[in-house]
Amino acid sequence: DIVMTQSPDSLAVSLGERATINCKSSQSVLYSSSKKNYLAWYQQNPGQPPKLLIYWASTRESGVPDRFSGSGSGTDFTLTISSLQAEDVAVYYCQQYYSTPRTFGQGTKVEIK
Amino acid sequence: QVQLVQSGAEVKKPGASVKVSCKASGYTFTDYYMHWVRQAPGQGLEWMGRINPNSGATTYAQKFQGRVTMTRDTSISTAYMELSRLRSDDTAVYYCAREVRGVGLDHWGQGTLVTVSS
């Protein structure tokens, strides 16, 4: 199984400041034939299901604000919120869909400082 | 628009079984895999397995092998997840989620709370 490890577990950022979340996979999720990383980021607000934010490690889902960006390749990935807004307070998860079992990171809680 | 509507909350005793439904609308049900993910209170997301609604083929997480059964009824565009021999640590919100091939889980059901308590 591919193990996904996020860091930090939580972070507090001032409104308008940058938030950065890291995700590391225990093996590469780069799909050789398509040259795409099968890595997604989800946002989960309390009491709500997760929402897909980014796929292929760096492609924003339709409707996702451009302050959210993803980067990385192979085994190391980053989700960046360039200017934190109040509505961005949530738990963020990375997930690999390169192989089964699909696996998630443990989650990173983002709060306002 | 794509919608996944799950069945309501359940309370079960240890050792019982629960069957959660997930009715899909707004797209061709058989064109996308359906996954099941659970979340225990205050915990992270745990993948349970998936079903190919077209063929009925399933893949389960090893942790749930022998206890979980995923099925579908294509005539009513509904997927089901049945978990047997329930334990207290199966108390969780269970989600269905549609997977777009090569993209990820783009639509999720609202979740079904299953409480296991004597």
Side-chain angles (χ1 to χ4, degrees):
Chain A
D1 298 3
I2 298 177
V3 176
M4 308 299 291
T5 305
Q6 291 181 229
S7 62
D9 289 335
S10 65
L11 75 161
V13 175
S14 300
L15 287 172
E17 296 301 304
R18 179 185 300 258
T20 301
I21 301 169
N22 299 301
C23 174
K24 188 173 183 67
S25 57
S26 61
Q27 61 191 76
S28 177
V29 298
L30 177 62
Y31 203 66
S32 56
S33 59
S34 64
K35 301 289 190 290
K36 294 188 184 299
N37 290 279
Y38 279 21
L39 186 283
W41 289 97
Y42 300 87
Q43 176 192 61
Q44 188 177 32
N45 294 112
Q48 298 296 314
K51 172 189 172 184
L52 177 64
L53 288 180
I54 285 173
Y55 58 93
W56 295 337
S58 61
T59 300
R60 272 188 302 277
E61 174 74 326
S62 176
V64 173
D66 61 6
R67 64 180 180 273
F68 291 92
S69 63
S71 62
S73 185
T75 62
D76 291 279
F77 302 92
T78 299
L79 174 70
T80 301
I81 310 172
S82 61
S83 176
L84 191 75
Q85 305 299 303
E87 60 266 31
D88 301 333
V89 169
V91 180
Y92 294 84
Y93 296 91
C94 61
Q95 182 223 4
Q96 65 80 20
Y97 50 96
Y98 179 88
S99 65
T100 55
R102 302 289 193 250
T103 45
F104 293 89
Q106 79 275 21
T108 296
K109 187 174 186 178
V110 174
E111 299 172 307
I112 304 292
K113 186 187 292 183
Chain B
Q1 74 283 20
V2 174
Q3 277 195 301
L4 301 175
V5 178
Q6 298 184 222
S7 49
E10 303 262 13
V11 179
K12 296 291 183 181
K13 293 197 182 304
S17 297
V18 69
K19 190 171 186 177
V20 179
S21 67
C22 171
K23 182 169 177 59
S25 61
Y27 71 99
T28 302
F29 178 65
T30 50
D31 283 353
Y32 300 86
Y33 280 66
M34 192 71 78
H35 293 242
W36 291 88
V37 176
R38 79 176 187 179
Q39 186 170 39
Q43 302 301 307
L45 302 170
E46 182 175 32
W47 185 81
M48 299 180 69
R50 70 177 185 186
I51 184 168
N52 178 341
N54 187 44
S55 66
T58 55
T59 303
Y60 302 140
Q62 189 163 9
K63 175 177 179 176
F64 300 102
Q65 287 275 4
R67 280 211 302 146
V68 71
T69 305
M70 296 178 187
T71 57
R72 91 293 189 214
D73 184 338
T74 57
S75 68
I76 55 171
S77 300
T78 299
Y80 301 92
M81 186 285 299
E82 184 170 22
L83 190 62
S84 63
R85 302 194 301 279
L86 289 168
R87 307 184 292 254
S88 58
D89 61 359
D90 291 317
T91 294
V93 175
Y94 290 76
Y95 294 103
C96 60
R98 183 185 86 158
E99 184 181 64
V100 176
R101 188 181 183 90
V103 167
L105 304 172
D106 73 330
H107 283 85
W108 294 65
Q110 83 275 21
T112 297
L113 175 62
V114 175
T115 302
V116 183
S117 173
S118 54

